[in-house]
Amino acid sequence: MAETLPSVEQVWVWLGDVPDPEIPVVSVTELGIVRDVRWDDDTLVVAVTPTYSGCPATAVIDLAIEARLREQGITRLRIERRLSPPWTTDWITKGAREKLRAYGIAPPVDGTASDGRTAARAARMTGRTNLVIACPRCGSSHTERISQFGSTPCKASYRCTDCLEPFDYFKCH
Amino acid sequence: MPSLPDMTTPDVVALAERAAASQPHDPHLEDVDLRPAFFDWLCRMGDNTLILGHRISEWCGHGPVLEEDIALANTALDLIGHTQMWLGLAAEVEGEGRTADDLAFLRDAMRFRNLQLLELPNRDMAVTLMREFLFDAWHFEMLTALCGSQSPRVAEIAAKALKEVSYHLERSSDLIVRLGDGSEESHRRMQDALDRLWPYLGEMFVEDAVDKAVAEAGIAPRPADLRGAWEQTVNEVLEEATLASPDTRMDVHQGGKQGRHTEHLGYILAEMQFLQRAYPGASW
């Protein structure tokens, strides 16, 4: 083959520039949803895992990845969906957690992605939620959950009882 | 809470390489004798989530408060996501070149395999939430069992869906308690909803030849095996909600799994399938 194919490492660097469509301060690699980059003969294969299985952003993410790679001259490209192992919020990089906070979204509490039913029972027994979610604006730990669901499938709605601002929490998953 | 080590790009690459290496080969997909039962069973899983997802989505823009509206829409979205995975695998197993969309939009009511419980109208918020809770409790046990399926393709879908269904069960059980043990009217409505839905619940635990075939292939649990854990969850939540389980039979209405439906399914399909029927192959 006459043309030289870009290295897999180079492709990872390019993907590091592709923002998440809903939360543009973090990239798809920081979110931990790119699972594989490889050459299948002269076709570039990028495997992407969904955050939530019904997340409508998935199609937009595929399109953004394709656009970014075509911009770099990749002509033969295949985007695959990868389910296993399922994505958890523990895949989000630490740097991205700080970017989320600066953007006004409380990042998921590290390492707590787990069985929701256990959390639910604990929450009901104690009459409150089992995690302390700090306000991304003022840092106060006096916050309360408004709703388990928010503006996108991956977020819950909270409010701060000190600065009184509502905010999104990137829920553990 | 201890922090995770910072994951730099090379770590992500390594994780992704491990993920790529663990891609499962599933011999069940090549088992021709198993194919009709496997296909039918996958349609049951996908049709359950499709029809309940559609029902719940009917609240979008009509919820009593914004948070509930958003929560219901999000739940519906999760269920439609599960449908894409289950019906996508069903189409692959069938091997006739159909897609998940073909199965969702171009089958008639008699070909749908969802539980009758899930096609009943929403009526009020009490029926909507009670139905969701009773199904969530079953769905949670089913997916938990399927995570150990001998079919790696089934197990990976279950593992993905279970994370979302845990959230559904958490929310619906919470609301059953709040509304059951709430005002006089909310209590009455929740009890009425439970009484109304009760005769449809037995279908979740009834076994037929399809269930038997996939259980024997190690793909899925026997339906009756889910009953104990389901009853425990339901009884605990109902007790906390001050609601009483009816002492009547649960297995009165059934047949959805074999394609015998109530009159309500046709109306759902008329709305859901209209566009693909009127404009075949339409895309945007």
Side-chain angles (χ1 to χ4, degrees):
Chain A
M1 213 176 335
E3 57 176 330
T4 314
L5 300 174
S7 69
V8 163
E9 290 73 22
Q10 177 61 61
V11 174
W12 275 100
V13 172
W14 290 333
L15 293 175
D17 300 337
V18 178
D20 176 84
E22 290 286 351
I23 313 167
V25 289
V26 297
S27 74
V28 292
T29 53
E30 287 175 311
L31 205 51
I33 59 172
V34 179
R35 287 295 174 80
D36 191 22
V37 175
R38 66 173 194 278
W39 287 99
D40 179 3
D41 197 12
D42 59 352
T43 300
L44 180 64
V45 181
V46 177
V48 182
T49 197
T51 51
Y52 279 71
S53 41
C55 184
T58 308
V60 184
I61 289 170
D62 288 354
L63 199 64
I65 288 176
E66 185 177 342
R68 179 74 183 98
L69 296 177
R70 294 217 183 276
E71 210 176 273
Q72 295 299 327
I74 305 281
T75 48
R76 275 181 283 277
L77 173 68
R78 189 168 78 238
I79 297 181
E80 291 179 350
R81 191 179 58 175
R82 188 66 57 83
L83 290 180
S84 181
W87 180 85
T88 76
T89 40
D90 293 349
W91 284 71
I92 299 175
T93 64
K94 193 155 217 165
R97 288 164 196 267
E98 289 317 311
K99 289 182 188 173
L100 285 172
R101 205 190 312 276
Y103 190 61
I105 300 173
V109 178
D110 286 356
T112 52
S114 68
D115 174 355
R117 190 165 66 160
T118 314
R121 300 223 62 82
R124 252 211 315 284
M125 306 276 275
T126 56
R128 61 193 146 79
T129 136
N130 55 328
L131 295 173
V132 173
I133 311 299
C135 171
R137 294 171 200 279
C138 73
S140 164
S141 55
H142 300 138
T143 60
E144 57 189 21
R145 188 169 74 186
I146 303 171
S147 168
Q148 266 165 310
F149 294 88
S151 54
T152 64
C154 56
K155 286 178 269 173
S157 306
Y158 273 70
R159 82 178 132 228
C160 176
T161 54
D162 281 336
C163 75
L164 305 180
E165 286 290 333
F167 64 89
D168 276 336
Y169 168 55
F170 203 119
K171 63 196 184 194
C172 291
H173 180 64
Chain B
M1 195 70 64
S3 286
L4 289 177
D6 195 3
M7 295 204 297
T8 57
T9 302
D11 285 337
V12 175
V13 173
L15 280 165
E17 276 170 3
R18 280 208 296 283
S22 72
Q23 268 314 282
H25 169 75
D26 194 338
H28 294 96
L29 267 63
E30 289 137 30
D31 184 340
V32 180
D33 295 335
L34 182 65
R35 188 166 291 164
F38 195 12
F39 172 75
D40 226 44
W41 180 83
L42 287 165
C43 287
R44 291 178 182 182
M45 293 301 294
D47 291 344
N48 280 345
T49 52
L50 177 60
I51 298 303
L52 181 62
H54 189 85
R55 272 293 182 228
I56 292 179
S57 78
E58 290 171 0
W59 279 104
C60 187
H62 303 275
V65 289
L66 184 59
E67 287 77 11
E68 277 313 302
D69 197 290
I70 290 170
L72 287 164
N74 270 277
T75 305
L77 198 57
D78 288 342
L79 292 170
I80 301 303
H82 304 167
T83 305
Q84 287 170 338
M85 298 192 285
W86 290 124
L87 293 186
L89 184 55
E92 206 178 318
V93 165
E94 187 191 40
E96 302 278 332
R98 290 203 279 184
T99 64
D101 278 354
D102 291 337
L103 292 175
F105 295 125
L106 301 175
R107 275 180 305 157
D108 288 322
M110 74 192 83
R111 305 273 174 224
F112 270 73
R113 296 289 180 260
N114 59 283
L115 301 167
Q116 287 190 359
L117 170 74
L118 306 177
E119 68 206 34
L120 301 175
N122 286 328
R123 303 183 73 94
D124 59 4
M125 190 52 79
V127 171
T128 303
L129 292 173
M130 184 58 80
R131 184 234 314 268
E132 198 204 316
F133 164 67
L134 295 165
F135 177 75
D136 287 348
W138 175 87
H139 205 191
F140 181 90
E141 299 304 335
M142 179 56 135
L143 294 173
T144 303
L146 291 179
C147 287
S149 171
Q150 284 172 32
S151 160
R153 295 291 300 278
V154 167
E156 70 173 2
I157 295 175
K160 183 72 196 164
L162 180 60
K163 287 148 59 62
E164 289 149 15
V165 169
S166 301
Y167 232 125
H168 301 170
L169 179 59
E170 178 180 343
R171 173 178 165 278
S172 62
S173 31
D174 199 31
L175 283 168
I176 297 303
V177 172
R178 279 169 61 189
L179 293 171
D181 191 15
S183 69
E184 205 175 302
E185 179 169 4
S186 74
H187 176 85
R188 179 183 58 77
R189 284 185 182 237
M190 294 307 276
Q191 186 64 55
D192 285 352
L194 181 60
D195 296 348
R196 174 180 291 278
L197 299 172
W198 197 256
Y200 292 89
L201 300 178
E203 188 175 11
M204 298 192 281
F205 309 108
V206 174
E207 177 176 301
D208 68 0
V210 168
D211 294 310
K212 190 159 178 282
V214 291
E216 279 168 1
I219 293 173
R222 309 198 87 108
D225 290 350
L226 303 174
R227 190 164 181 157
W230 176 86
E231 278 180 348
Q232 195 183 334
T233 306
V234 168
N235 289 341
E236 263 177 52
V237 171
L238 291 181
E239 190 184 341
E240 207 175 330
T242 71
L243 297 169
S245 325
D247 51 11
T248 51
R249 284 174 55 173
M250 291 202 304
D251 58 348
V252 182
H253 301 293
Q254 46 177 300
K257 284 161 62 165
Q258 293 83 27
R260 294 191 304 279
H261 293 281
T262 67
E263 70 273 29
H264 306 295
L265 183 64
Y267 290 95
I268 295 180
L269 298 186
E271 184 178 334
M272 191 175 78
Q273 297 184 334
F274 171 79
L275 194 134
Q276 284 298 328
R277 299 282 194 174
Y279 304 95
S283 64
W284 57 82

